[in-house]
Amino acid sequence: MKKSYQRLRGTLDFYPPESDLIQEIVGKARNLFNTFGYQEVILPILEREEIFTKSVGKTSDIVGEKQMFRVEGKDIVLRPEGTAGMVRSFIENALYTKKDFYKFFYIGPMFRGERPQKGRLRQFHHIGCEAFGSNSPYLDVEVIKLALSILQECGIKGIKLKVNSLGCQQDKANLTNFLKKELISYRSKLCPLCQRRLTTNPLRVLDCKEESCRKVVSHLDISDRFLCKECLCHFNEVLSLLKELEIDFLYQPTLVRGLDYYTNTVFELVHKQLGSQDACGAGGRYNDLVKNLGGPSIPAIGFALGLERMLLLLKKPDLTSKVLVFVAYTSLNVYPQAYKLLNTLRKNKVSSDISYKEKSLKSQLRSAEKAGANFVIIVGDEEIKRGHLIVRDMKKSCQRTVECSRILDFFLS
Ligand SMILES: [Zn+2]
Ligand SMILES: [Zn+2]
């Protein structure tokens, strides 16, 4: 038996209609980004590992739990997320010396090196954006509104918005210290991962999905009491702006997100249909990241939507081809004329196709039907001598004779 190859675990092949659907989602996202004043960047998939250990954090799942896809023998990884690379590029190109405010978006693949499990792919795609240079709560709300608009425009209903504020570094440190003290007495009740987190990153215990950890967390009094005056004021403004725009949200003080670089506003877009990994997008502020990666102190905020998660929430469309016209022929004698006609149609942007197999007219009509063609132009031995073509309307099941010279007008008018 011949050897056959299978795709790698945790990767997906996309065919129509799913690949068409992806293009539609990407198109709608691009339009909305433009409407909101964001410009597209295309950045490398390969980056130095260090930019992620320094930004996402050594104790994050991505770095600490060795989820990055490393290039063997090098300090290079396939990017696990888009923000760190964006910040690296922003600093490297010294964009801040040219303008004091930037809004970018990106669409592309991201990678994980861990063993793939349900809902967690090895290669997946993010639609994301980043805004640099402002700490305005109005910008926080713009970014949230933009993420929601993309999901809505794609026809995804039932999304819930969860928001929280982690505060500045000092506030985060205060909360961390509080958690260290409080959680130590519950240590045995935490999952093994959270027991480790207790010393490395106690914040992460707050959003652990394990039932035992959630129970422990529910006893804690955290709310917004660890926010300093300035951060509390910022957060309250974000919340009241959301109300003003009539955006429903759930304030969840335990929402911390898995990445160390977040400060202040964090948010998650969840859908109950997605199960335990219920987020189809998330984002937040990272006001210290530009500085931490070697740039000046510039506040920033962004989000990323998971394309595959979005696909799970959309009904699969029917398999329909986009070919409008199928060119058929009654015999191989007229194939050259049929082929010429096909090229004329295409030159005039009429989507069209032909059979490249020697087939009877009957089976060509069947192929046309499978291709979803609305019309079939039949190039007939007899008709072509008189300068005529037959146009068959596949939807109405009727046909008429059209002069060769008028065929383009027929489709273009
Ligand atoms: Zn603060
Ligand atoms: Zn846990």
Side-chain angles (χ1 to χ4, degrees):
M1 216 174 76
K2 269 193 201 161
K3 185 172 179 176
S4 72
Y5 295 97
Q6 288 171 334
R7 62 187 158 81
L8 293 174
R9 264 190 79 181
T11 64
L12 296 170
D13 299 327
F14 292 113
Y15 278 90
E18 250 179 345
S19 51
D20 288 340
L21 185 59
I22 290 172
Q23 289 312 324
E24 214 180 299
I25 292 171
V26 165
K28 283 178 174 163
R30 276 209 176 93
N31 281 342
L32 275 164
F33 280 128
N34 289 328
T35 306
F36 280 66
Y38 289 69
Q39 290 181 297
E40 185 160 11
V41 288
I42 301 170
L43 300 177
I45 285 166
L46 295 170
E47 291 280 0
R48 268 177 225 295
E49 185 174 14
E50 201 179 336
I51 70 162
F52 299 103
T53 43
K54 272 198 173 157
S55 59
V56 170
K58 282 200 177 75
T59 57
S60 67
D61 290 350
I62 291 178
V63 178
E65 301 303 316
K66 301 193 171 42
Q67 291 176 356
M68 275 200 284
F69 201 112
R70 300 192 73 214
V71 176
E72 192 100 15
K74 299 220 163 43
D75 63 345
I76 291 172
V77 295
L78 302 185
R79 62 182 183 191
E81 55 99 59
T83 303
M86 180 72 244
V87 174
R88 186 270 308 147
S89 171
F90 179 78
I91 300 167
E92 184 178 350
N93 293 295
L95 297 183
Y96 47 85
T97 59
K98 295 167 194 133
K99 257 171 44 174
D100 63 359
F101 188 59
Y102 282 95
K103 299 202 285 194
F104 296 116
F105 76 92
Y106 57 87
I107 296 167
M110 307 290 159
F111 302 84
R112 290 275 148 84
E114 66 179 332
R115 204 170 65 85
Q117 356 165 353
K118 193 174 174 284
R120 293 179 76 83
L121 292 162
R122 192 176 283 271
Q123 177 175 340
F124 51 100
H125 297 79
H126 273 174
I127 297 174
C129 72
E130 321 288 351
F132 294 95
S134 165
N135 190 36
S136 165
Y138 285 87
L139 179 61
D140 298 33
V141 176
E142 171 180 290
V143 165
I144 293 172
K145 175 78 185 162
L146 176 52
L148 284 167
S149 302
I150 292 173
L151 296 172
Q152 192 182 13
E153 185 72 15
C154 291
I156 298 172
K157 294 189 182 85
I159 290 287
K160 271 211 180 93
L161 166 67
K162 292 181 180 176
V163 286
N164 187 26
S165 175
L166 298 169
C168 53
Q169 290 301 352
Q170 188 54 54
D171 304 342
K172 273 174 85 175
N174 293 343
L175 174 58
T176 304
N177 287 335
F178 166 79
L179 290 175
K180 268 187 183 161
K181 270 192 228 127
E182 286 292 306
L183 290 173
I184 199 79
S185 52
Y186 295 102
R187 196 187 164 90
S188 61
K189 294 199 171 94
L190 297 173
C191 75
L193 181 58
C194 284
Q195 293 193 10
R196 261 186 291 146
R197 282 168 170 164
L198 216 47
T199 43
T200 57
N201 190 357
L203 275 180
R204 291 303 316 284
V205 179
L206 291 179
D207 66 358
C208 180
K209 305 272 192 238
E210 293 290 331
E211 193 54 47
S212 55
C213 301
R214 283 167 60 173
K215 222 167 151 187
V216 170
V217 167
S218 69
H219 293 304
L220 300 174
D221 171 28
I222 35 176
S223 68
D224 56 11
R225 66 195 179 93
F226 293 94
L227 298 182
C228 67
K229 214 171 137 196
E230 204 183 315
C231 291
L232 183 62
C233 177
H234 182 103
F235 187 48
N236 282 335
E237 260 191 86
V238 169
L239 297 186
S240 70
L241 285 168
L242 286 173
K243 279 182 204 148
E244 231 168 86
L245 287 179
E246 295 178 343
I247 297 171
D248 287 332
F249 64 87
L250 176 74
Y251 163 46
Q252 190 173 310
T254 55
L255 178 70
V256 295
R257 300 295 307 147
L259 316 174
D260 282 3
Y261 56 61
Y262 283 126
T263 56
N264 298 92
T265 312
V266 283
F267 62 95
E268 233 176 39
L269 301 154
V270 300
H271 198 289
K272 60 175 189 299
Q273 212 177 296
L274 292 172
S276 62
Q277 303 278 346
D278 64 352
C280 80
R285 280 209 161 270
Y286 46 94
N287 286 348
D288 301 318
L289 185 54
V290 178
K291 198 171 86 195
N292 290 346
L293 284 183
S297 179
I298 291 173
I301 182 168
F303 71 73
L305 300 174
L307 184 61
E308 284 79 3
R309 301 268 173 95
M310 289 170 76
L311 285 178
L312 289 174
L313 296 173
L314 284 167
K315 258 210 336 246
K316 293 214 171 84
D318 297 329
L319 178 61
T320 47
S321 163
K322 284 177 193 141
V323 176
L324 178 72
V325 180
F326 200 90
V327 181
Y329 45 90
T330 49
S331 80
L332 281 180
N333 297 332
V334 289
Y335 197 91
Q337 281 98 322
Y339 191 68
K340 205 174 149 196
L341 172 62
L342 173 77
N343 284 290
T344 308
L345 290 167
R346 287 176 174 172
K347 201 173 157 190
N348 287 280
K349 306 273 183 283
V350 177
S351 99
S352 43
D353 213 347
I354 196 167
S355 170
Y356 287 106
K357 294 174 158 227
E358 288 180 33
K359 279 181 176 176
S360 68
L361 183 60
K362 204 173 149 191
S363 65
Q364 287 179 67
L365 289 174
R366 259 204 305 274
S367 302
E369 211 178 320
K370 277 187 191 158
N374 289 357
F375 296 96
V376 177
I377 302 176
I378 301 168
V379 182
D381 291 81
E382 291 308 312
E383 287 78 9
I384 204 81
K385 280 181 202 152
R386 293 196 295 273
H388 290 163
L389 294 161
I390 296 165
V391 178
R392 187 173 170 81
D393 186 322
M394 297 296 278
K395 301 277 158 341
K396 292 183 190 152
S397 294
C398 61
Q399 58 187 49
R400 55 185 284 195
T401 306
V402 176
E403 274 177 50
C404 287
S405 57
R406 300 199 42 86
I407 193 74
L408 269 180
D409 298 340
F410 183 89
F411 290 106
L412 295 177
S413 58

